[in-house]
Amino acid sequence: MTDLRGTVERVAHSIHRRGLTHGRTGNLAVREGDHILVTPTGVSLADVSGADLSVLDAEGHHLDGPPPTKEAFLHVAVLRARPSAHAIVHTHSVHAAALSCLSDLDQEDALPPLTAYYGMRVAPLLVLPYFAPGDKAATYAVQHAATRSHALLLRNHGPVIAGVDLDSALDALEELEHTAQIFFLTSGMRTVPLTTHHLAALQPQTPQEPSA
């Protein structure tokens, strides 16, 4: 089993162990060269085996392994839109899923930047319209939104988070879930979100060119 397959197994089990998914919900994907490894359909993340993943080509055609999750097209669309991303995590984590059910969300960023780590790892969180699970009609909306942010929230469903690797995507997913929990805990109270100045200061600084 390759290291990448072992990482998928480790992260899948970690997601389930931390209560970020339930039952047989949630799925993961990673790039492996010209292929995409995806968790199979009907398998709890607690039981995912790195040796038994679905293999897709870059267009989402099933090449090898068990049948992929019916939401594999979400992963393919995001990876197509974000060449720098190499991994996707999709869960139905409780607080993020609850957030996806609220009316009057800011479609361009569903959560206020309540913490520095949310600002660094997640924001902006774009909200997509509702599509039934497995409905490939969502492909265009997901791909278009993914060109603008690595963090998406599917209405009445849950988050889809991209990262340079699975651990980065999981870090962002956990930060989103934590911030959503803070959001609900402080509901009805006055909060002090970070300002645009605070957020800008959190971004990696680009080294300046040496002066002539």
Coordinates of all heavy atoms in Angstrom, one line a residue, residues 81-164:
A81 N -10.9 22.5 -10.7 CA -10.9 24.0 -10.6 C -9.7 24.5 -9.8 O -9.4 25.7 -10.0 CB -12.2 24.4 -9.8
R82 N -9.1 23.6 -9.0 CA -8.0 24.1 -8.2 C -6.8 23.2 -8.4 O -6.5 22.2 -7.7 CB -8.4 24.1 -6.7 CG -9.6 24.9 -6.4 CD -9.9 25.0 -4.9 NE -8.9 25.8 -4.2 CZ -8.9 27.2 -4.2 NH1 -9.8 27.9 -4.8 NH2 -7.9 27.8 -3.6
P83 N -6.0 23.5 -9.4 CA -4.8 22.7 -9.7 C -3.8 22.6 -8.5 O -3.1 21.6 -8.5 CB -4.1 23.5 -10.9 CG -5.3 24.3 -11.5 CD -6.1 24.6 -10.3
S84 N -3.8 23.6 -7.6 CA -2.8 23.5 -6.5 C -3.3 22.6 -5.4 O -2.6 22.2 -4.5 CB -2.6 24.9 -5.9 OG -3.8 25.4 -5.4
A85 N -4.6 22.2 -5.5 CA -5.2 21.3 -4.4 C -4.9 19.8 -4.8 O -5.0 19.5 -6.0 CB -6.7 21.5 -4.3
H86 N -4.7 19.0 -3.8 CA -4.4 17.6 -4.1 C -5.3 16.7 -3.2 O -5.1 15.5 -3.3 CB -2.9 17.3 -3.9 CG -2.0 17.9 -4.8 ND1 -1.8 17.4 -6.1 CD2 -1.4 19.1 -4.8 CE1 -1.0 18.2 -6.8 NE2 -0.7 19.3 -6.0
A87 N -6.2 17.3 -2.4 CA -7.0 16.5 -1.6 C -8.3 17.2 -1.2 O -8.4 18.5 -1.2 CB -6.3 16.2 -0.3
I88 N -9.4 16.5 -1.0 CA -10.7 17.0 -0.7 C -11.3 16.2 0.5 O -11.1 15.0 0.5 CB -11.7 16.9 -1.9 CG1 -11.1 17.3 -3.2 CG2 -13.0 17.6 -1.5 CD1 -10.9 18.8 -3.3
V89 N -11.9 16.9 1.4 CA -12.6 16.3 2.5 C -14.1 16.8 2.4 O -14.3 18.0 2.4 CB -12.0 16.6 3.9 CG1 -12.9 16.1 5.0 CG2 -10.6 16.1 4.0
H90 N -15.0 15.9 2.5 CA -16.4 16.2 2.5 C -17.1 15.5 3.6 O -17.0 14.2 3.7 CB -17.1 15.9 1.2 CG -18.6 15.9 1.2 ND1 -19.3 17.0 1.7 CD2 -19.6 15.0 0.9 CE1 -20.6 16.8 1.7 NE2 -20.8 15.6 1.2
T91 N -17.7 16.2 4.6 CA -18.4 15.6 5.7 C -19.8 16.2 5.9 O -20.1 17.1 5.2 CB -17.6 15.7 7.0 OG1 -17.7 17.1 7.4 CG2 -16.2 15.3 6.9
H92 N -20.5 15.6 6.8 CA -21.8 16.2 7.3 C -21.7 16.5 8.7 O -22.6 16.3 9.5 CB -22.9 15.1 7.1 CG -23.1 14.7 5.7 ND1 -23.9 13.6 5.3 CD2 -22.5 15.1 4.5 CE1 -23.8 13.4 4.0 NE2 -23.0 14.3 3.5
S93 N -20.5 17.1 9.1 CA -20.2 17.4 10.5 C -21.4 18.3 11.1 O -21.9 19.2 10.4 CB -18.9 18.1 10.6 OG -18.7 19.1 9.7
V94 N -21.7 18.1 12.3 CA -23.0 18.6 12.9 C -23.2 20.1 12.8 O -24.2 20.6 12.3 CB -23.1 18.1 14.4 CG1 -24.3 18.8 15.0 CG2 -23.2 16.6 14.4
H95 N -22.2 20.8 13.3 CA -22.4 22.3 13.3 C -22.3 22.9 11.9 O -23.1 23.9 11.6 CB -21.4 22.9 14.3 CG -21.6 22.5 15.7 ND1 -20.9 21.4 16.2 CD2 -22.4 23.0 16.7 CE1 -21.3 21.2 17.5 NE2 -22.2 22.2 17.8
A96 N -21.4 22.4 11.1 CA -21.4 22.9 9.7 C -22.6 22.6 8.9 O -23.2 23.4 8.2 CB -20.1 22.4 9.0
A97 N -23.2 21.4 9.2 CA -24.4 21.0 8.5 C -25.6 21.8 9.0 O -26.4 22.2 8.2 CB -24.7 19.5 8.7
A98 N -25.6 22.1 10.3 CA -26.6 23.0 10.9 C -26.6 24.3 10.3 O -27.6 25.0 9.9 CB -26.5 23.0 12.4
L99 N -25.3 24.8 10.1 CA -25.2 26.2 9.5 C -25.7 26.2 8.1 O -26.4 27.1 7.6 CB -23.7 26.5 9.4 CG -23.3 27.8 8.8 CD1 -23.7 29.0 9.8 CD2 -21.8 27.9 8.5
S100 N -25.6 25.1 7.3 CA -26.0 25.0 5.9 C -27.5 25.1 5.8 O -28.1 25.3 4.7 CB -25.5 23.7 5.3 OG -26.2 22.6 5.7
C101 N -28.2 24.9 6.9 CA -29.7 24.9 6.9 C -30.3 26.2 7.3 O -31.5 26.4 7.2 CB -30.2 23.9 7.9 SG -29.8 22.1 7.6
L102 N -29.5 27.2 7.7 CA -30.0 28.5 8.1 C -30.3 29.4 6.9 O -29.7 29.3 5.9 CB -28.9 29.3 8.9 CG -28.5 28.6 10.3 CD1 -27.4 29.6 10.9 CD2 -29.7 28.4 11.2
S103 N -31.4 30.2 7.1 CA -31.7 31.1 6.1 C -30.9 32.4 6.2 O -30.2 32.6 7.2 CB -33.2 31.5 6.2 OG -33.5 32.2 7.4
D104 N -30.8 33.2 5.2 CA -30.2 34.5 5.2 C -28.7 34.4 5.4 O -28.1 35.3 6.0 CB -30.8 35.4 6.2 CG -32.3 35.6 6.0 OD1 -32.7 35.8 4.8 OD2 -33.1 35.7 7.0
L105 N -28.0 33.3 5.0 CA -26.6 33.2 5.1 C -26.0 34.2 4.1 O -26.5 34.3 3.0 CB -26.1 31.8 4.8 CG -26.4 30.8 5.9 CD1 -25.9 29.4 5.4 CD2 -25.7 31.1 7.2
D106 N -24.8 34.7 4.4 CA -24.0 35.5 3.4 C -23.5 34.4 2.4 O -22.6 33.6 2.8 CB -22.9 36.2 4.2 CG -22.0 37.0 3.2 OD1 -22.1 36.9 2.0 OD2 -21.3 37.9 3.7
Q107 N -23.9 34.5 1.2 CA -23.5 33.5 0.2 C -22.0 33.6 -0.1 O -21.4 32.6 -0.5 CB -24.2 33.8 -1.1 CG -25.8 33.8 -1.0 CD -26.3 32.5 -0.4 OE1 -26.2 31.5 -1.1 NE2 -27.0 32.5 0.7
E108 N -21.4 34.7 0.2 CA -19.9 34.9 -0.1 C -19.1 34.5 1.1 O -17.9 34.3 0.9 CB -19.6 36.3 -0.5 CG -20.3 36.7 -1.8 CD -19.9 35.9 -3.0 OE1 -18.6 35.7 -3.1 OE2 -20.7 35.3 -3.7
D109 N -19.6 34.4 2.3 CA -18.9 33.9 3.4 C -19.9 33.6 4.5 O -20.4 34.5 5.2 CB -17.8 34.9 3.9 CG -16.8 34.2 4.8 OD1 -16.9 33.0 5.1 OD2 -15.8 34.9 5.1
A110 N -20.2 32.3 4.7 CA -21.3 32.0 5.6 C -21.1 32.2 7.1 O -22.0 32.3 7.9 CB -21.6 30.5 5.4
L111 N -19.8 32.4 7.5 CA -19.5 32.6 8.9 C -18.7 33.9 9.1 O -17.8 34.2 8.3 CB -18.6 31.4 9.5 CG -19.3 30.2 9.9 CD1 -18.3 29.1 10.2 CD2 -20.3 30.4 11.0
P112 N -19.0 34.6 10.1 CA -18.1 35.8 10.4 C -16.7 35.2 10.9 O -16.7 34.2 11.5 CB -18.8 36.5 11.6 CG -19.7 35.4 12.2 CD -20.1 34.5 11.1
P113 N -15.7 36.0 10.6 CA -14.3 35.5 11.1 C -14.1 35.7 12.6 O -13.6 36.7 13.0 CB -13.4 36.4 10.2 CG -14.2 37.7 10.0 CD -15.6 37.2 9.9
L114 N -14.6 34.8 13.3 CA -14.6 34.9 14.8 C -13.2 34.6 15.4 O -12.9 35.0 16.5 CB -15.7 34.0 15.4 CG -17.1 34.4 15.1 CD1 -18.1 33.3 15.6 CD2 -17.5 35.8 15.6
T115 N -12.4 33.8 14.7 CA -11.1 33.4 15.2 C -10.1 33.6 14.1 O -10.4 33.6 12.9 CB -11.1 31.9 15.7 OG1 -11.2 31.1 14.5 CG2 -12.3 31.6 16.6
A116 N -8.8 33.7 14.6 CA -7.7 33.9 13.6 C -7.6 32.6 12.8 O -7.3 32.7 11.6 CB -6.4 34.2 14.4
Y117 N -7.7 31.5 13.4 CA -7.5 30.2 12.6 C -8.6 30.0 11.5 O -8.3 29.4 10.5 CB -7.4 29.0 13.6 CG -6.1 29.0 14.3 CD1 -5.9 29.4 15.6 CD2 -4.9 28.6 13.6 CE1 -4.7 29.4 16.2 CE2 -3.7 28.6 14.2 CZ -3.6 29.0 15.5 OH -2.4 29.0 16.1
Y118 N -9.8 30.5 11.8 CA -10.8 30.5 10.8 C -10.4 31.4 9.6 O -10.5 31.0 8.4 CB -12.2 30.9 11.3 CG -13.2 31.0 10.2 CD1 -13.9 29.8 9.8 CD2 -13.5 32.2 9.6 CE1 -14.8 29.9 8.8 CE2 -14.5 32.2 8.6 CZ -15.1 31.1 8.2 OH -16.0 31.1 7.2
G119 N -9.9 32.5 9.9 CA -9.4 33.5 8.9 C -8.2 32.9 8.1 O -8.2 33.1 6.9
M120 N -7.4 32.1 8.8 CA -6.2 31.6 8.1 C -6.5 30.3 7.3 O -6.0 30.1 6.2 CB -5.1 31.2 9.1 CG -4.4 32.5 9.7 SD -2.9 32.0 10.7 CE -3.7 31.3 12.1
R121 N -7.4 29.5 7.8 CA -7.6 28.1 7.2 C -8.8 28.0 6.4 O -8.9 27.0 5.6 CB -7.5 27.1 8.4 CG -6.2 27.0 9.0 CD -6.3 26.0 10.2 NE -4.9 25.7 10.8 CZ -4.7 25.1 11.9 NH1 -5.7 24.6 12.6 NH2 -3.5 24.9 12.4
V122 N -9.8 28.8 6.6 CA -11.1 28.6 5.9 C -11.6 29.7 5.1 O -11.8 29.6 3.9 CB -12.2 28.3 7.0 CG1 -13.5 28.0 6.3 CG2 -11.8 27.1 7.9
A123 N -11.7 30.9 5.6 CA -12.4 32.0 4.9 C -11.9 32.3 3.6 O -10.6 32.2 3.4 CB -12.4 33.3 5.8
P124 N -12.7 32.6 2.6 CA -14.2 32.7 2.7 C -14.9 31.3 2.5 O -14.4 30.5 1.8 CB -14.6 33.7 1.6 CG -13.6 33.4 0.5 CD -12.3 33.1 1.3
L125 N -16.0 31.2 3.2 CA -16.8 29.9 3.0 C -18.0 30.2 2.1 O -18.9 30.9 2.6 CB -17.3 29.5 4.4 CG -18.2 28.2 4.4 CD1 -17.5 27.0 3.9 CD2 -18.7 28.0 5.9
L126 N -17.9 29.8 0.9 CA -19.0 30.1 -0.1 C -20.2 29.2 0.1 O -20.0 28.0 0.3 CB -18.4 30.0 -1.5 CG -17.2 30.9 -1.9 CD1 -16.9 30.7 -3.4 CD2 -17.4 32.3 -1.5
V127 N -21.4 29.7 -0.1 CA -22.6 28.9 0.1 C -23.1 28.5 -1.3 O -23.3 29.4 -2.1 CB -23.7 29.6 0.9 CG1 -24.9 28.7 1.0 CG2 -23.1 30.0 2.3
L128 N -23.4 27.3 -1.6 CA -23.9 26.8 -2.8 C -25.4 26.5 -2.6 O -25.8 26.1 -1.5 CB -23.2 25.6 -3.4 CG -21.9 25.9 -4.1 CD1 -20.8 26.3 -3.2 CD2 -21.4 24.6 -4.9
P129 N -26.2 26.5 -3.7 CA -27.6 26.1 -3.6 C -27.7 24.6 -3.2 O -26.8 23.9 -3.3 CB -28.1 26.3 -5.0 CG -27.1 27.2 -5.7 CD -25.8 26.9 -5.1
Y130 N -29.0 24.3 -2.9 CA -29.2 22.9 -2.6 C -29.3 22.0 -3.8 O -29.9 22.4 -4.8 CB -30.6 22.7 -1.8 CG -31.0 21.3 -1.7 CD1 -30.4 20.5 -0.7 CD2 -31.9 20.7 -2.5 CE1 -30.7 19.1 -0.6 CE2 -32.3 19.4 -2.4 CZ -31.7 18.6 -1.4 OH -32.0 17.3 -1.3
F131 N -28.6 20.9 -3.8 CA -28.7 19.8 -4.8 C -28.9 18.5 -4.0 O -28.3 18.3 -3.0 CB -27.5 19.7 -5.6 CG -27.3 20.9 -6.5 CD1 -26.5 22.0 -6.1 CD2 -27.8 21.0 -7.8 CE1 -26.2 23.1 -6.9 CE2 -27.6 22.1 -8.6 CZ -26.8 23.1 -8.2
A132 N -29.7 17.6 -4.5 CA -29.8 16.3 -3.8 C -28.5 15.6 -3.8 O -27.7 15.7 -4.8 CB -30.9 15.5 -4.6
P133 N -28.2 14.8 -2.8 CA -26.9 14.1 -2.8 C -26.8 13.2 -4.0 O -27.7 12.5 -4.4 CB -27.0 13.2 -1.5 CG -28.0 14.0 -0.6 CD -29.0 14.6 -1.6
G134 N -25.6 13.3 -4.7 CA -25.3 12.6 -5.9 C -25.9 13.2 -7.1 O -25.7 12.6 -8.2
D135 N -26.5 14.4 -7.1 CA -27.0 15.0 -8.2 C -25.9 15.7 -9.0 O -25.4 16.7 -8.5 CB -28.1 16.1 -7.8 CG -28.8 16.7 -9.0 OD1 -28.3 16.5 -10.2 OD2 -29.7 17.5 -8.8
K136 N -25.5 15.2 -10.1 CA -24.4 15.7 -10.9 C -24.7 17.1 -11.5 O -23.8 17.7 -12.1 CB -24.0 14.7 -12.0 CG -23.4 13.5 -11.4 CD -22.9 12.5 -12.5 CE -22.3 11.3 -11.9 NZ -21.7 10.4 -12.9
A137 N -26.0 17.6 -11.4 CA -26.3 18.9 -11.8 C -25.5 19.9 -11.0 O -25.4 21.1 -11.4 CB -27.8 19.2 -11.7
A138 N -25.0 19.5 -9.8 CA -24.2 20.4 -9.0 C -22.8 20.7 -9.5 O -22.1 21.6 -9.0 CB -24.1 19.9 -7.6
T139 N -22.4 19.9 -10.5 CA -21.0 20.0 -11.0 C -20.5 21.4 -11.3 O -19.5 21.8 -10.9 CB -20.8 19.0 -12.2 OG1 -21.1 17.7 -11.8 CG2 -19.3 19.0 -12.6
Y140 N -21.3 22.0 -12.2 CA -20.9 23.4 -12.6 C -20.8 24.4 -11.5 O -19.8 25.1 -11.3 CB -21.8 23.9 -13.7 CG -21.5 25.3 -14.1 CD1 -20.4 25.6 -15.0 CD2 -22.2 26.4 -13.6 CE1 -20.1 26.9 -15.3 CE2 -21.9 27.7 -13.9 CZ -20.8 28.0 -14.7 OH -20.4 29.3 -15.1
A141 N -21.8 24.3 -10.6 CA -21.8 25.3 -9.5 C -20.6 25.0 -8.6 O -20.0 26.0 -8.1 CB -23.1 25.1 -8.7
V142 N -20.3 23.8 -8.3 CA -19.2 23.4 -7.4 C -17.9 23.9 -8.1 O -17.0 24.5 -7.4 CB -19.2 21.9 -7.1 CG1 -17.9 21.5 -6.5 CG2 -20.4 21.6 -6.2
Q143 N -17.7 23.5 -9.4 CA -16.5 23.9 -10.0 C -16.3 25.4 -10.1 O -15.2 25.9 -9.9 CB -16.5 23.3 -11.4 CG -15.1 23.5 -12.2 CD -15.0 22.7 -13.4 OE1 -15.6 21.6 -13.5 NE2 -14.3 23.2 -14.4
H144 N -17.3 26.1 -10.4 CA -17.2 27.6 -10.5 C -16.9 28.2 -9.1 O -16.0 29.0 -9.0 CB -18.6 28.2 -11.0 CG -18.6 29.7 -11.0 ND1 -17.8 30.4 -11.9 CD2 -19.2 30.6 -10.3 CE1 -18.0 31.7 -11.7 NE2 -18.9 31.8 -10.7
A145 N -17.6 27.7 -8.1 CA -17.3 28.3 -6.7 C -15.9 27.9 -6.3 O -15.2 28.7 -5.6 CB -18.3 27.7 -5.7
A146 N -15.4 26.7 -6.6 CA -14.1 26.3 -6.2 C -13.0 27.1 -6.8 O -11.8 27.1 -6.3 CB -13.9 24.8 -6.5
T147 N -13.2 27.8 -7.9 CA -12.2 28.7 -8.5 C -12.0 29.9 -7.6 O -11.0 30.6 -7.7 CB -12.6 29.2 -9.9 OG1 -13.8 30.0 -9.8 CG2 -12.8 28.0 -10.8
R148 N -13.0 30.2 -6.7 CA -12.9 31.4 -5.8 C -12.6 31.1 -4.4 O -12.1 32.0 -3.7 CB -14.2 32.1 -5.9 CG -14.6 32.6 -7.3 CD -15.8 33.5 -7.3 NE -17.0 32.9 -6.9 CZ -17.8 33.3 -6.0 NH1 -17.5 34.4 -5.3 NH2 -18.9 32.7 -5.7
S149 N -12.8 29.8 -4.0 CA -12.4 29.5 -2.6 C -12.2 28.0 -2.5 O -12.9 27.2 -3.2 CB -13.5 29.9 -1.6 OG -13.2 29.5 -0.3
H150 N -11.4 27.6 -1.5 CA -11.2 26.1 -1.3 C -12.2 25.6 -0.3 O -12.2 24.4 0.0 CB -9.8 25.9 -0.7 CG -9.6 26.4 0.7 ND1 -9.6 27.7 1.1 CD2 -9.5 25.7 1.9 CE1 -9.5 27.8 2.4 NE2 -9.4 26.6 2.9
A151 N -13.1 26.5 0.3 CA -14.0 26.1 1.3 C -15.4 26.4 0.8 O -15.8 27.5 0.6 CB -13.8 26.8 2.6
L152 N -16.2 25.3 0.6 CA -17.6 25.4 0.1 C -18.6 24.8 1.1 O -18.2 23.8 1.8 CB -17.7 24.7 -1.2 CG -16.7 25.0 -2.3 CD1 -17.0 24.1 -3.5 CD2 -16.7 26.5 -2.6
L153 N -19.8 25.4 1.2 CA -20.8 24.8 2.0 C -22.0 24.5 1.2 O -22.6 25.4 0.6 CB -21.2 25.8 3.2 CG -22.2 25.3 4.2 CD1 -21.6 24.2 5.0 CD2 -22.6 26.4 5.1
L154 N -22.4 23.2 1.1 CA -23.5 22.8 0.3 C -24.8 23.0 1.1 O -24.9 22.5 2.2 CB -23.4 21.4 -0.1 CG -22.1 21.0 -0.9 CD1 -22.1 19.5 -1.2 CD2 -21.9 21.8 -2.1
R155 N -25.8 23.7 0.6 CA -27.0 24.0 1.3 C -27.7 22.7 1.8 O -27.8 21.7 1.0 CB -28.0 24.7 0.4 CG -27.9 26.2 0.5 CD -28.6 26.7 1.7 NE -28.6 28.1 1.8 CZ -28.9 28.8 2.9 NH1 -29.1 28.1 4.0 NH2 -29.0 30.1 2.9
N156 N -28.1 22.7 3.1 CA -28.8 21.5 3.7 C -28.0 20.2 3.5 O -28.6 19.1 3.3 CB -30.2 21.4 3.1 CG -31.1 22.6 3.2 OD1 -31.1 23.5 2.3 ND2 -31.7 22.7 4.3
H157 N -26.7 20.3 3.6 CA -25.9 19.2 3.3 C -24.6 19.2 4.2 O -24.5 18.6 5.2 CB -25.5 19.1 1.8 CG -24.9 17.9 1.4 ND1 -25.0 17.5 0.0 CD2 -24.2 16.9 2.0 CE1 -24.4 16.3 -0.1 NE2 -23.9 15.9 1.1
G158 N -23.6 20.0 3.8 CA -22.4 20.0 4.5 C -21.2 20.6 3.8 O -21.4 21.0 2.6
P159 N -20.0 20.6 4.4 CA -18.9 21.3 3.8 C -18.1 20.4 2.8 O -18.0 19.2 3.0 CB -18.0 21.6 5.0 CG -18.3 20.6 6.0 CD -19.8 20.2 5.8
V160 N -17.5 21.1 1.8 CA -16.5 20.4 0.9 C -15.2 21.3 1.0 O -15.3 22.5 0.7 CB -17.0 20.4 -0.5 CG1 -15.9 19.8 -1.4 CG2 -18.3 19.6 -0.6
I161 N -14.1 20.7 1.5 CA -12.9 21.5 1.7 C -11.7 20.9 1.0 O -11.5 19.7 1.1 CB -12.6 21.5 3.2 CG1 -13.8 21.9 4.1 CG2 -11.4 22.5 3.5 CD1 -14.2 23.4 4.0
A162 N -11.0 21.8 0.2 CA -9.8 21.3 -0.5 C -8.6 21.8 0.2 O -8.6 22.8 0.9 CB -9.9 21.9 -1.9
G163 N -7.5 21.0 0.0 CA -6.2 21.4 0.6 C -5.1 20.9 -0.2 O -5.3 20.1 -1.2
V164 N -3.9 21.4 0.1 CA -2.7 20.9 -0.7 C -2.4 19.4 -0.4 O -1.8 18.7 -1.2 CB -1.4 21.7 -0.3 CG1 -1.6 23.2 -0.8 CG2 -1.1 21.7 1.2

